[in-house]
Amino acid sequence: MQASAKVTVAKHDFLEGLGRCMKETTVIAPVKMKDGEVTFEPVRTAKQITFDYVNDHDPLKRFFMPAREELFSFQNARGKALLKSPPLPKPRVLFGIRSCDLQGLAHLDHFFQGAFEDQLYLQRRKSTLIISLACNEPLDTCFCICCNGGPFLESGFDLQLTDLGESFLVDIGSRAGRKFLDDWKVPCQTAKRKDEQLRQALMHKCDEKMIPTAYLAKACIQITNNRVREEVWDEMGAECFSCGGCTHVCPCCSCFDVFDCTEGETGQGTRYRCWDSCQYSGFTREASGHNPRAKAKERVKRRFYHKLSYAYIQQDGHPGCVGCGRCITVCEAFQQLDVPAVVKRLRRDG
Amino acid sequence: MGNLRMENIYLPDLALIDRIVDETSDTKTFTLHLADAAKNRRFRFKSGQFVEATVFGVGEAPFGFASNPHSPRQFDITVRAVGAVTHAMHVLKPGDYLGIRGPLGNNFPLDEVTGQDILFIAGGIGLPPLKSLIDPMLDRRAEFGQFIILYGARTPADRVYKPLLQEWRNRGDIQFLQTVDTPDAEWKDHVGVVTTLFEKVKLDIKRTVAFTCGPPIMIRFVIQDLLTMGFAEDRIISTLERYMKCGVGKCGHCAIGHKYICVDGPVFSYRQIKRLPER
Amino acid sequence: MKIQTTCPFCGCGCGMLLEVEARQVISASPQRSHPLSRGTLCTKGWNGHQIIHHPQRLTQPLIRDRKTLKPATWRQALTLISKRFAELRNQHGAESLGIIGSVKMTTEEAYLLNRFARSVLGTPHIDTLVRYDHAPSVRVLQEQTGYATATAGILDIEKASVLLIIGANPKAQTARIGSYIFQAAKRGVPVIQIDPRQQEHSAFYAHFLQPRPGTDLTLINAMLQVILANGWQDAGVLGVSHLRDDGLQRFTPEYAETVCGVPADKIIQVAEVFAKSGPGIILYGTGITQQANATAHVQALWNLALLTGNINREGAGLIPLLNANNSQGIIDAGLMTELAPGHRLIQSNETRHALKKQWSALPEKRGYTIQEMLRHAGGKLRGLYLVGENLAWAAPDAQAAVKALQRLDFLVVQDLFLTETAELADVLLPACSFAEKEGTFTNLEGRIQRVHRAIPPLGESLPDGEIFCRLARAFGAPFPAYDPKLIFQEMQSIMPCYEKITYAQLDHPGGVVWPAHAAAGDGRCRTLMGERRGALVPATAGAPFAEPPDEEYPFTLFTGRPVFHRRSGTLVSRSFTLDKEDAVQTVEISTDDAKTLKLRSGWPVWVVTRRGKLRCTLSATRAVAPGTLFLPIHHKSGPTQALMPATMENESGIPEMKLCAAKLETA
């Protein structure tokens, strides 16, 4: 891991620079909705941006792998079909992304590379400059310290901002990040030692506020060695509403299904992919009707095998969880089947 | 603004249907070639691999190659009508087109098993993928020892490749036995599940490699019997099946444990299968 | 871009955000600030949005030309409708026309349709599918409280000390409520479930009683008898002796045991738990309301709630699990033949007085219910305007319903899709989805919430409300262009329950629960009744259901709601993800019966009743008792309701479609 260069920038200077950038490039940033909640949207001026948030309820993977996206379009014609891939994504800036989501993107980056490269994801990733905002304040559902998902990261960003009050401490994580500062004439000072110390203090404070609710290690051993009693899975399966919420909001989950849509009788259509969930029974049901994971229990087991088994951790280099805590709020089986709750149950079982 | 310049792994190539053969009441074999001549020339696959076939507007489904990898510029897939895509394929005619992505997945060992006795156990629609291995092996018949094919089907009419089965029966250099669950009036061969054929053949267990493919329940019983006979776990080769969508290890549907059938499979030895956390 | 709106599926009314990209809705996600859903959605909430852009959406009006429906302009379609309806009215009178409204429309639209039907067309025959779910609840609650609505809010479940669920599967039907019940059970609140079928969550509940199908009334009365015999009733409740004298005595737990098959000591135990635990809520569904004597069933539950002091108390009450997203709004707007807007009965003078200013005319009597309209179709009833309901699937004895629709002189259907019913239409009008219009939905506890337009209407489709206005104008009535806000204000001026609400309040997370004086509108302890008390009305009489099992049809078949499907499936089956979930129709049989009949799980069978048969996959399970079969409603492979009887209960007009005799045949 490469130590990144650090500078400090007065907050209003940074936002002015970002404002200049907005005139030429799409900038997606956190904004307040009417109900006080925060969502990420393209913004036109820096004034729209809110800093009064910990995180969006939706994971930011949606900007790289939308809930529904086109794989290609087709036009059936006599004796052949004309096929067209979707257009290349335009360059954009994603501002204010939190560490856990960024760590989730690192997880997906790894997954979408490999022997087959998913260019739909990777091109979007490549054309997006990421300015992350480290966390000084956790939510009571946060447990990123359990999964190396924050509150501050060492890499993965183009720029990482730490809120020091009047100014940002800026970690420059890439050439593109430095270019952003140059291009938009953001006045930078070399970071002083005291700035770094201040950040250290903030980090400690944030760490201390966070209750480490998910001690993964024991649960990983239990799952890897298949040592969890069937009754424990039985109970969790019976509790589960199979809503799929946990997988939809998880920054590490990326399963999708594929379907065709045709426009009337024109022979013209589109093949889409949409988010799918391993918690749905249709996820593994075969055309014959046979379903290897017909029971909710098997599906809950699958989800945690993917998140916490050594086989997957070895393959992905990271557990399938970044500690964002979204699965806690989204679960219909309230406080029973989110990662910290299940980890606790698995630890106690054995 | 350009389109994706890099390869879009989800974008199929067009393939034209040269020939369609009715195998059973619900199964057809399609002979295809890629529409792009250059691509078709370069198209190579190995026994056990599969393609994703698209009917545009309906969807995509995976099919194992059912023909000899060495037959030039054409390939077969055998399709049973069970879902939306396969039903849509069944109404197509020669000259119509499909979308094809592939070849995908791993393959059967071939060069690795020369010099060995070979045992195939196939059930119903499980024969086509094995055929892609049987064909090239028979081309090199001399390189293998004893060569046995056992085939089971529900009824005589449910057997695929009936002319070929007759050919195999007539060959002196292989042993081909077939059985059905429910015979009809003309049936003179064996009756019973495919595992009942084991006692009809003489095997040198230590030098035999077994390949089996068919419905999951059949595979389970076959493997059980092979193990009882004393087969080593890595000398039992099978294929696994799951609901599959992308074929390139991304959509997540076919994962068993941390293995993806579409890229790590579909061919697995029993030793590998045994280690999967869900079976 | 994210647009805040309200989930259009069940009666919970969860807050939802639609993500819009290039004029297409690409996802739905939960609203964290919503007081009820609190950042969650169920399977249907997450995936139901996929219907919006389904390629089969109707995008232009269609007019029948002999056997086929051909594209037409709005002007042509509306002119034809007004011409044909006017002809029928001239020839046979206004009462030859009928209207069936959708339970998924906004309340504003329901109100407009009501006004159009009664004051423009002048017909009293107006109904909705609330009839099929909760007509008995409407009748009993209206009578007892003055309002046809739940007497407790959903959040009261968090304050209750005991919960009784009877004839419902909240986890499948109203998942958010299922979640609150589940949380209560996990906190240690005693949950009593009474159902002929064991559900996944039953194991987490303190008490599970499995009576024989069709014996709930005896069981409830036995609980009442036990409570009275032991003096466990609320001290302040009046009219106890009246109840005691009227035949309740014979409902001893021992007698109930012989009828229901539930052990007497278990009945005594749950009666005691329910009476003595403190504030309690009764939640019930169509397992109660679709039986024979449904009105007596609901009355008995009311008696139980009242007797245990659970009316007008925090954390206590009676909650009918209304089925649709806007069943309550439909009732509020009076879109049932016995009702007028604002929970008034159509036949009262007060109603006439209240509506006089806004409505030019108002038929003075109640007209036909759905079943009666079908019965008179082709006879007294000649023309039908059917909005957003697939009766060919949703109606009991569906083949008979289809035949009835075919007997009509003129049928207008308005829907998003070409349903089995729409195929019968003479004119088919394309309505747009919830994502393409403004308005309000009212959830089953009376929570009025905004629906926001996320995208423009697809093709030439229009919001139902806009269509009603145009149609009214085609009849020469001075309806202005459709403006939901103005309609809401008009409703407020004549509906006291909506009175004190400001339009801006509706946009707060969770909207407003009516009556609006409930503190902060959060729906806890709805104080509906003022000084009213409600009365204990004996509900002990009643014949058993019409079709007991016999030698030819040896099983009792009963129906219930699955997780992934809703109603006739017009919508959910067009969500790619939900459709995948709902792959096979299964019929559940007890493991014992399966063994006796030598049948195995996974085998194809025919479920046969006197009205028809349905091919299903068998599932042998301990969840149902010997002698019973369970079928989910519905499945795309065939309508379950087609098997069920359409025998109508006179008190409320609901068909007894929950139970019937059936047999199995191998397929």
Side-chain angles (χ1 to χ4, degrees):
Chain A
M1 206 172 288
Q2 200 182 338
S4 46
K6 293 179 180 64
V7 295
T8 54
V9 181
K11 272 184 178 172
H12 67 270
D13 284 344
F14 193 93
L15 291 175
E16 270 176 26
L18 190 64
R20 286 189 283 275
C21 171
M22 284 172 202
K23 296 204 166 60
E24 293 185 22
T25 312
T26 305
V27 174
I28 296 165
V31 296
K32 274 248 156 102
M33 291 187 286
K34 263 198 282 188
D35 63 358
E37 290 290 321
V38 163
T39 187
F40 281 72
E41 269 182 15
V43 290
R44 260 174 258 109
T45 69
K47 278 201 186 109
Q48 286 174 265
I49 300 175
T50 180
F51 285 91
D52 175 25
Y53 75 104
V54 177
N55 213 348
D56 185 359
H57 193 38
D58 294 319
L60 298 188
K61 68 179 179 187
R62 71 187 170 102
F63 291 108
F64 301 91
M65 191 202 169
R68 192 193 74 179
E69 70 174 311
E70 181 187 327
L71 295 178
F72 61 87
S73 61
F74 53 84
Q75 166 77 59
N76 283 313
R78 229 182 133 72
K80 64 174 181 185
L82 302 169
L83 308 180
K84 207 171 129 201
S85 280
L88 274 175
K90 289 181 197 165
R92 58 184 178 170
V93 174
L94 186 48
F95 175 84
I97 181 170
R98 291 298 188 180
S99 304
C100 51
D101 274 307
L102 188 51
Q103 192 63 19
L105 284 183
H107 191 92
L108 297 185
D109 291 350
H110 178 83
F111 179 75
F112 281 121
Q113 291 167 11
F116 293 93
E117 294 191 339
D118 188 314
Q119 290 299 336
L120 293 139
Y121 173 91
L122 293 172
Q123 292 289 340
R124 270 203 203 90
R125 192 70 173 87
K126 222 160 97 182
S127 60
T128 308
L129 184 96
I130 288 185
I131 305 174
S132 68
L133 182 58
C135 297
N136 299 357
E137 254 333 295
L139 286 172
D140 55 6
T141 48
C142 291
F143 58 97
C144 56
I145 46 170
C146 303
C147 325
N148 296 319
F152 297 78
L153 292 181
E154 300 290 331
S155 65
F157 45 80
D158 294 300
L159 298 172
Q160 172 175 256
L161 309 186
T162 304
D163 188 340
L164 299 180
E166 295 300 306
S167 61
F168 288 127
L169 176 67
V170 182
D171 297 280
I172 302 169
S174 71
R175 239 180 253 157
R178 182 173 295 282
K179 190 163 177 301
F180 173 89
L181 296 175
D182 294 345
D183 283 358
W184 308 110
K185 305 198 169 46
V186 180
C188 306
Q189 277 95 44
T190 318
K192 298 195 181 71
R193 208 181 153 148
K194 69 168 176 37
D195 298 325
E196 181 55 29
Q197 282 165 344
L198 186 51
R199 192 245 290 266
Q200 288 292 340
L202 284 170
M203 209 157 93
H204 281 302
K205 232 167 81 190
C206 187
D207 278 0
E208 273 166 23
K209 276 186 204 162
M210 214 174 314
I211 306 158
T213 46
Y215 299 97
L216 300 183
K218 177 77 184 294
C220 292
I221 295 170
Q222 293 287 90
I223 285 187
T224 304
N225 298 319
N226 202 10
R227 259 196 240 141
V228 184
R229 283 176 307 128
E230 283 303 298
E231 297 82 71
V232 177
W233 296 119
D234 279 335
E235 189 176 356
M236 290 196 266
E239 288 169 356
C240 181
F241 281 70
S242 300
C243 69
C246 53
T247 58
H248 293 323
V249 298
C250 181
C252 297
C253 280
S254 60
C255 288
F256 60 86
D257 210 338
V258 179
F259 65 98
D260 286 10
C261 236
T262 43
E263 287 161 33
E265 307 292 304
T266 57
Q268 199 172 324
T270 308
R271 177 162 294 169
Y272 293 104
R273 70 168 158 198
C274 66
W275 291 355
D276 203 351
S277 171
C278 59
Q279 300 306 294
Y280 296 156
S281 66
F283 190 78
T284 46
R285 191 185 292 105
E286 292 158 21
S288 65
H290 172 68
N291 191 350
R293 283 186 218 127
K295 290 192 188 132
K297 146 198 177 177
E298 289 146 355
R299 305 196 288 269
V300 173
K301 195 172 175 180
R302 165 67 198 167
R303 176 171 154 240
F304 283 95
Y305 186 87
H306 195 166
K307 298 244 164 284
L308 299 178
S309 73
Y310 282 161
Y312 264 110
I313 293 175
Q314 206 166 29
Q315 193 163 299
D316 302 335
H318 195 278
C321 173
V322 291
C324 70
R326 289 185 177 102
C327 56
I328 301 172
T329 21
V330 86
C331 184
E332 291 215 282
F334 187 69
Q335 293 183 354
Q336 303 292 334
L337 297 173
D338 50 81
V339 170
V342 171
V343 161
K344 200 161 153 194
R345 289 164 91 156
L346 299 188
R347 268 172 42 219
R348 283 186 183 159
D349 187 60
Chain B
M1 181 64 66
N3 288 3
L4 277 183
R5 270 160 305 166
M6 312 286 252
E7 201 188 344
N8 179 351
I9 51 173
Y10 306 108
L11 190 71
D13 289 314
L14 289 189
L16 290 166
I17 302 173
D18 296 329
R19 195 169 55 244
I20 301 174
V21 176
D22 284 318
E23 301 288 354
T24 73
S25 61
D26 63 357
T27 306
K28 293 182 183 195
T29 296
F30 295 78
T31 303
L32 306 163
H33 74 271
L34 295 188
D36 183 307
K39 274 185 183 166
N40 198 48
R41 263 198 307 281
R42 287 198 304 272
F43 192 80
R44 296 273 184 286
F45 68 91
K46 290 180 177 160
S47 314
Q49 286 192 294
F50 68 96
V51 286
E52 286 277 358
T54 284
V55 179
F56 294 100
V58 182
E60 199 176 36
F63 303 96
F65 286 101
S67 53
N68 194 331
H70 302 300
S71 37
R73 287 168 204 182
Q74 271 187 334
F75 60 91
D76 291 355
I77 53 177
T78 296
V79 180
R80 185 165 157 220
V82 279
V85 177
T86 48
H87 275 109
M89 286 172 76
H90 270 226
V91 300
L92 296 177
K93 301 264 170 305
D96 288 344
Y97 58 87
L98 288 169
I100 289 288
R101 288 189 299 131
L104 302 166
N106 70 352
N107 53 278
F108 287 118
L110 176 58
D111 294 329
E112 295 86 335
V113 297
T114 48
Q116 307 290 315
D117 286 359
I118 304 293
L119 170 66
F120 286 98
I121 310 107
I125 190 75
L127 185 58
L130 292 180
K131 181 174 171 285
S132 76
L133 179 60
I134 296 173
D135 283 354
M137 278 184 166
L138 289 179
D139 288 351
R140 301 157 57 177
R141 176 68 191 89
E143 295 174 37
F144 303 97
Q146 195 183 200
F147 203 105
I148 303 170
I149 303 170
L150 309 178
Y151 184 40
R154 262 186 313 155
T155 69
D158 283 318
R159 294 169 306 143
V160 294
Y161 312 140
K162 286 171 200 105
L164 179 68
L165 302 183
Q166 195 54 42
E167 235 174 79
W168 286 348
R169 254 170 82 100
N170 297 341
R171 267 180 92 130
D173 60 347
I174 67 171
Q175 236 186 308
F176 172 71
L177 298 178
Q178 52 183 348
T179 179
V180 295
D181 298 345
T182 321
D184 58 14
E186 280 112 78
W187 186 252
K188 294 195 178 64
D189 246 317
H190 303 280
V191 174
V193 292
V194 75
T195 45
T196 57
L197 295 177
F198 282 137
E199 51 194 58
K200 312 269 195 278
V201 291
K202 252 200 165 138
L203 300 170
D204 181 351
I205 307 291
K206 290 279 170 282
R207 36 169 316 191
T208 306
V209 180
F211 296 88
T212 180
C213 191
I217 181 109
M218 182 210 91
I219 293 186
R220 215 170 62 217
F221 284 115
V222 166
I223 290 178
Q224 229 170 57
D225 285 8
L226 292 174
L227 291 172
T228 320
M229 284 185 243
F231 271 83
E233 287 170 357
D234 54 358
R235 293 174 80 87
I236 303 173
I237 316 288
S238 183
T239 62
L240 291 179
E241 249 180 74
R242 281 284 168 113
Y243 178 68
M244 189 186 284
K245 222 62 213 227
C246 74
V248 289
K250 303 298 182 204
C251 76
H253 287 94
C254 69
I256 304 183
H258 70 296
K259 297 284 183 197
Y260 291 77
I261 289 182
C262 61
V263 290
D264 300 314
V267 178
F268 293 94
S269 73
Y270 178 65
R271 172 168 290 178
Q272 293 168 311
I273 294 175
K274 206 178 88 173
R275 286 189 191 150
L276 298 174
E278 2 169 36
R279 261 171 288 151
Chain C
M1 180 73 159
K2 293 231 167 197
I3 309 289
Q4 198 278 314
T5 192
T6 302
C7 179
F9 285 95
C10 78
C12 290
C14 296
M16 172 191 265
L17 301 164
L18 294 178
E19 186 179 7
V20 178
E21 192 74 51
R23 292 182 145 207
Q24 298 239 330
V25 176
I26 65 162
S27 78
S29 57
Q31 183 186 5
R32 191 157 44 173
S33 62
H34 196 273
L36 209 60
S37 51
R38 298 178 188 165
T40 69
L41 283 178
C42 72
T43 322
K44 288 169 287 238
W46 278 106
N47 300 295
H49 67 88
Q50 292 171 356
I51 60 152
I52 298 167
H53 297 286
H54 193 280
Q56 289 169 356
R57 273 282 303 272
L58 296 171
T59 52
Q60 55 186 340
L62 301 170
I63 292 179
R64 179 163 302 279
D65 180 9
R66 292 194 191 89
K67 291 225 154 143
T68 54
L69 286 161
K70 293 216 168 122
T73 64
W74 273 104
R75 179 186 287 272
Q76 288 168 331
L78 296 177
T79 311
L80 180 65
I81 295 170
S82 60
K83 179 172 155 271
R84 294 287 286 127
F85 273 176
E87 281 169 13
L88 290 172
R89 193 166 56 175
N90 291 340
Q91 274 172 32
H92 308 282
E95 292 189 22
S96 66
L97 304 176
I99 305 263
I100 296 173
S102 163
V103 285
K104 302 197 86 64
M105 294 188 289
T106 64
T107 311
E108 292 80 357
E109 290 167 337
Y111 173 84
L112 261 181
L113 180 61
N114 194 355
R115 202 178 126 184
F116 167 71
R118 283 171 163 154
S119 78
V120 179
L121 288 183
T123 177
H125 309 314
I126 174 166
D127 212 3
T128 60
L129 259 66
V130 173
R131 178 75 50 204
Y132 284 171
D133 301 332
H134 279 281
S137 310
V138 168
R139 170 154 177 160
V140 172
L141 291 166
Q142 162 79 31
E143 216 166 77
Q144 294 290 348
T145 72
Y147 296 99
T149 189
T151 72
I154 295 172
L155 293 176
D156 274 309
I157 297 172
E158 291 191 315
K159 295 216 161 176
S161 303
V162 59
L163 297 168
L164 172 64
I165 313 155
I166 180 163
N169 184 350
K171 185 190 175 191
Q173 182 193 359
T174 47
R176 190 58 203 159
I177 291 177
S179 171
Y180 280 117
I181 296 169
F182 173 74
Q183 291 168 35
K186 285 274 169 185
R187 280 198 309 272
V189 172
V191 180
I192 304 161
Q193 183 172 42
I194 303 177
D195 205 280
R197 175 173 175 264
Q198 194 171 357
Q199 299 157 8
E200 288 116 323
H201 276 183
S202 304
F204 301 114
Y205 302 154
H207 306 279
F208 173 66
L209 273 55
Q210 194 168 16
R212 295 188 185 109
T215 64
D216 297 279
L217 188 57
T218 305
L219 188 59
I220 303 163
N221 275 321
M223 285 177 70
L224 289 166
Q225 194 274 347
V226 170
I227 290 169
L228 282 177
N230 290 285
W232 294 333
Q233 72 267 30
D234 180 56
V237 69
L238 302 171
V240 171
S241 55
H242 175 47
L243 193 64
R244 191 180 282 141
D245 296 342
D246 202 277
L248 198 62
Q249 237 75 328
R250 73 186 165 93
F251 288 88
T252 60
E254 292 73 24
Y255 167 71
E257 177 171 342
T258 61
V259 175
C260 314
V262 177
D265 55 351
K266 196 72 206 169
I267 299 175
I268 298 170
Q269 188 191 12
V270 298
E272 179 167 12
V273 168
F274 189 73
K276 291 166 86 173
S277 295
I281 295 180
I282 302 172
L283 300 110
Y284 68 96
T286 53
I288 287 297
T289 57
Q290 291 178 344
Q291 294 197 32
N293 307 304
T295 306
H297 278 73
V298 177
Q299 182 62 49
L301 288 177
W302 168 267
N303 292 346
L304 183 59
L306 193 60
L307 195 65
T308 47
N310 282 317
I311 298 295
N312 267 355
R313 182 181 183 188
E314 196 171 36
L318 190 60
I319 303 182
L321 293 172
L322 301 181
N323 245 316
N325 58 322
N326 201 27
S327 295
Q328 187 63 58
I330 299 295
I331 297 168
D332 296 347
L335 200 67
M336 292 175 79
T337 191
E338 65 271 43
L339 297 179
H343 296 257
R344 299 182 176 96
L345 294 174
I346 189 72
Q347 281 153 311
S348 80
N349 283 329
E350 186 224 334
T351 302
R352 224 155 307 287
H353 183 75
L355 295 185
K356 204 168 53 187
K357 216 171 78 191
Q358 310 283 0
W359 294 36
S360 50
L362 187 65
E364 298 195 2
K365 60 172 196 178
R366 62 173 279 175
Y368 297 151
T369 61
I370 297 181
Q371 282 324 102
E372 288 162 333
M373 284 192 227
L374 292 174
R375 193 188 305 154
H376 293 292
K380 287 184 187 156
L381 197 82
R382 296 299 181 130
L384 184 65
Y385 182 18
L386 185 51
V387 182
E389 297 293 356
N390 186 8
L391 274 191
W393 276 55
D397 198 0
Q399 293 94 322
V402 169
K403 281 187 194 132
L405 295 175
Q406 285 167 334
R407 285 197 301 270
L408 291 164
D409 292 5
F410 193 63
L411 174 64
V412 180
V413 174
Q414 183 165 311
D415 212 314
L416 270 68
F417 296 101
L418 185 65
T419 63
E420 290 78 6
T421 310
E423 282 171 9
L424 307 172
D426 295 294
V427 179
L428 182 51
L429 303 175
C432 64
S433 78
F434 76 104
E436 297 148 63
K437 61 188 181 187
E438 296 278 335
T440 60
F441 290 156
T442 301
N443 81 347
L444 61 79
E445 59 175 339
R447 184 181 294 277
I448 310 169
Q449 306 188 84
R450 282 301 306 274
V451 177
H452 283 294
R453 191 174 114 142
I455 52 166
L458 255 59
E460 289 176 35
S461 69
L462 290 172
D464 293 289
E466 177 63 36
I467 301 174
F468 302 148
C469 286
R470 291 190 186 191
L471 199 52
R473 286 200 298 273
F475 278 89
F479 277 43
Y482 179 54
D483 180 347
K485 187 176 175 182
L486 288 180
I487 302 294
F488 191 82
Q489 284 161 354
E490 181 178 324
M491 291 196 296
Q492 285 187 297
S493 72
I494 57 170
M495 289 161 52
C497 54
Y498 279 29
E499 217 169 32
K500 292 178 187 146
I501 300 160
T502 64
Y503 205 64
Q505 265 181 305
L506 297 178
D507 249 331
H508 294 168
V512 178
V513 180
W514 69 261
H517 47 82
D522 74 351
R524 280 177 207 270
C525 185
R526 300 184 70 192
T527 47
L528 297 162
M529 298 167 64
E531 294 303 302
R532 264 176 102 139
R533 273 298 159 82
L536 293 167
V537 180
T540 51
F545 64 98
E547 234 189 62
D550 54 25
E551 251 172 49
E552 197 189 350
Y553 295 93
F555 287 99
T556 303
L557 170 68
F558 66 105
T559 63
R561 275 154 225 283
V563 176
F564 299 109
H565 203 87
R566 284 201 69 75
R567 305 167 57 78
S568 73
T570 302
L571 299 181
V572 288
S573 70
R574 287 177 174 86
S575 153
F576 170 70
T577 306
L578 293 176
D579 184 48
K580 239 180 7 160
E581 291 303 296
D582 200 33
V584 283
Q585 171 72 305
T586 51
V587 58
E588 291 184 1
I589 188 172
S590 75
T591 33
D592 293 350
D593 285 343
K595 219 175 267 170
T596 316
L597 295 172
K598 298 201 169 63
L599 294 171
R600 284 220 199 112
S601 282
W603 286 9
V605 291
W606 290 101
V607 179
V608 188
T609 74
R610 292 190 167 86
R611 285 148 298 277
K613 59 183 191 172
L614 196 64
R615 197 185 151 96
C616 305
T617 303
L618 194 79
S619 166
T621 166
R622 293 187 196 288
V624 297
T628 64
L629 298 174
F630 172 80
L631 256 187
I633 38 176
H634 287 275
H635 187 264
K636 62 188 168 200
S637 63
T640 306
Q641 294 306 29
L643 303 184
M644 309 312 287
T647 327
M648 201 177 83
E649 193 217 28
N650 282 331
E651 283 80 357
S652 66
I654 193 168
E656 303 172 11
M657 55 213 266
K658 184 53 73 174
L659 305 167
C660 72
K663 62 180 170 186
L664 285 183
E665 283 174 5
T666 45

